[in-house]
């Protein structure tokens, strides 16, 4: 079977690298087209920390492309590593997560390889035909790359990670020195306030608040319900644009795509751009005081009511039943 290159996105948890759930989803997706080859572009030592997990999720080979630049420079090291691997082999495709950074890498790689690119892919058929969800999820397209090595950006939560033992054979490649004139170098960073909540894109429960929440201070109600349910907090763009909640928690077309078991939307109207990021959630619960709010069309359970009455009662009830 042909190789399928998979770019592995890493998170650092308790000072240790680990693959994000999206990376394990890509390994599962890659099996539709061939043998998954995990490509780790990261600081020296990172591959050692993640190799076992990658092999346990089907990686036939694991390629370490490690350098100090890999963590200090945006985008370019990943493009360099993937372009080199495509040049030295004949992979059936390159799979990258359709995150904001992943889409950037995919676009640049496709230009570098003179290959076709498909983005926002939610399914892949064995013949390489991809299903794309576009225009905020309102249109489904089936498309196939006909030029070069297909570069495929896969939406998070489109595939389930699969525990399956791969050979996990280790290799490494040298990354070329980064061209300073072309590189965007990270000059500083700050640790976000550590929150004892699951990561938004991976959470099984997400509680989101919108303009109806009314202020940043009132988001405490959303946080309390999320904590009672052991979930993550999300927000509509109206809420993040108002500065009530940080932008990285925005759910939707231009934010994070979530697909939890339970999505609870409070004070959110259900604009198409918001739906695009949450409509594949398994169970959707809506709290809105306007019975005509379009989000009720998606709801499995809907409460027409004021969130300031409903949310605290719901939080209390959940706490009681969980204690
Ligand atoms: P509103 O539409 O104002 O709805 C507020 C809701 O709260 C109403 O339904 C109201 O009945 C209800 N409400 C008010 N008070 C209460 C109360 N006390 N109790 C209960 N209910 C109450 N939006 C996103 O969310 N994510 C995106 O990624 C995104 N990307 C976009 C990209 C583009 C290019 C564009 C143009 C827009 C994008 N938007 C996105 C914005 C989107 O169009 C909507 O403007 C936004 O989702 C509205 O947020 P909202 O539902 O919180 O606010």
């Amino acid at each position: 079977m042909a190789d399928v290159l998979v770019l592995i996105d890493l998170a650092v948890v308790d000072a240790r690298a680990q693959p994000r759930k999206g990376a394990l989803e890509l390994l599962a997706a890659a099996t539709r087209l061939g043998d998954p080859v995990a490509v780790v572009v990261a600081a020296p030592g990172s591959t050692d920390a993640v190799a076992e997990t990658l092999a346990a999720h089907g990686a036939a080979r694991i390629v370490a492309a490690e350098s100090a630049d890999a963590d200090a420079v945006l985008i370019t090291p990943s493009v360099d590593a993937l372009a080199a691997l495509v040049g030295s082999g004949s992979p059936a495709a390159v799979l990258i997560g359709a995150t904001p950074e992943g889409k950037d890498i995919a676009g640049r790689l496709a230009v570098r390889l003179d290959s076709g690119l498909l983005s926002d892919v939610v399914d892949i058929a064995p013949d390489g035909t991809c299903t794309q969800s576009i225009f905020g999820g309102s249109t489904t397209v089936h498309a196939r790359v006909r030029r070069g090595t297909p570069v495929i950006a896969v939406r998070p939560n489109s595939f389930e990670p699969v525990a399956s033992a791969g050979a996990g054979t280790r290799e490494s490649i040298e990354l070329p020195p980064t061209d300073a004139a072309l590189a965007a170098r990270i000059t500083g960073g700050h640790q976000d306030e550590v929150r004892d909540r699951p990561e938004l894109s991976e959470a099984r429960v997400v509680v989101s608040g919108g303009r109806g929440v009314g202020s940043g201070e009132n988001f405490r109600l959303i946080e309390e319900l999320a904590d009672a349910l052991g979930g993550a907090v999300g927000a509509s763009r109206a809420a993040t644009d108002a500065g009530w909640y940080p932008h990285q928690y925005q759910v939707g077309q231009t934010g994070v795509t979530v697909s939890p078991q339970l999505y609870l939307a409070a004070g959110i109207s259900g604009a198409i751009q918001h739906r695009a990021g949450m409509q594949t959630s398994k169970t959707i619960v809506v709290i809105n005081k306007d019975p005509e709010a379009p989000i009720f069309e998606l709801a499995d359970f809907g409460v027409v009511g004021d969130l300031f009455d409903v949310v605290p009662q719901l939080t209390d009830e959940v706490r009681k039943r969980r204690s």
Side-chain angles (χ1 to χ4, degrees):
M1 275 217 280
D3 288 341
V4 179
L5 302 181
V6 172
L7 182 63
I8 301 299
D9 194 10
L10 300 181
V12 177
V13 178
D14 295 334
R16 193 178 156 83
Q18 65 177 46
R20 288 187 192 275
K21 177 168 164 269
L24 305 181
E25 292 167 9
L26 290 184
L27 290 173
T31 59
R32 301 277 175 93
L33 300 174
D35 290 326
V37 176
V39 182
V40 181
V41 184
S46 307
T47 312
D48 286 342
V50 298
E52 200 178 313
T53 309
L54 297 176
H57 287 82
R61 285 163 48 212
I62 299 168
V63 181
E66 297 184 340
S67 80
D69 264 357
D71 273 358
V73 174
L74 293 173
I75 315 292
T76 323
S78 297
V79 177
D80 288 344
L82 292 169
L85 288 165
V86 171
S88 64
S90 300
V94 181
L95 302 193
I96 299 170
T99 59
E101 188 181 10
K103 287 184 185 179
D104 216 343
I105 294 168
R108 286 216 213 174
L109 180 66
V111 170
R112 184 90 70 88
L113 299 175
D114 194 20
S115 286
L117 161 69
L118 294 175
S119 192
D120 286 323
V121 167
V122 294
D123 201 5
I124 303 174
D127 71 351
T129 304
C130 295
T131 306
Q132 290 169 283
S133 175
I134 63 168
F135 298 140
S138 63
T139 303
T140 299
V141 173
H142 300 287
R144 195 164 149 191
V145 170
R146 295 170 64 179
R147 183 190 181 101
T149 302
V151 179
I152 301 174
V154 180
R155 270 224 185 141
N157 293 314
S158 300
F159 290 81
E160 277 296 317
V162 175
S164 106
T169 313
R170 296 278 297 267
E171 319 167 9
S172 56
I173 58 165
E174 287 272 316
L175 277 176
T178 307
D179 182 341
L182 299 177
R185 192 169 283 277
I186 298 166
T187 56
H190 78 99
Q191 180 73 44
D192 196 9
E193 187 189 330
V194 178
R195 292 166 197 261
D196 192 17
R197 297 197 181 102
E199 185 160 324
L200 180 56
S201 63
E202 302 178 357
R204 290 175 62 78
V205 176
V206 175
V207 181
S208 286
R211 202 193 305 271
V213 175
S215 71
E217 201 176 299
N218 291 344
F219 253 81
R220 186 180 40 81
L221 294 178
I222 304 296
E223 292 187 325
E224 284 172 359
L225 179 54
D227 291 343
L229 290 164
V233 174
S236 72
R237 181 154 155 185
T240 58
D241 279 356
W244 299 342
Y245 220 67
H247 277 283
Q248 66 264 36
Y249 298 98
Q250 180 186 313
V251 171
Q253 184 185 337
T254 44
V256 179
T257 303
V258 299
S259 192
Q261 294 297 317
L262 171 64
Y263 187 83
L264 200 149
I268 293 177
S269 62
I272 189 166
Q273 297 89 356
H274 187 79
R275 291 168 174 227
M278 47 64 74
Q279 62 194 357
T280 57
S281 304
K282 307 298 173 292
T283 301
I284 296 173
V285 176
V286 168
I287 301 166
N288 196 303
K289 67 180 183 186
D290 174 8
E292 303 297 325
I295 195 151
F296 280 116
E297 292 162 15
L298 292 180
D300 296 289
F301 300 101
V303 181
V304 178
D306 189 321
L307 70 90
F308 296 102
D309 292 334
V310 178
V311 171
Q313 290 183 58
L314 183 55
T315 306
D316 281 349
E317 196 58 34
V318 172
R319 282 185 186 142
K320 258 189 241 158
R321 289 180 185 227
R322 292 199 139 199
S323 62

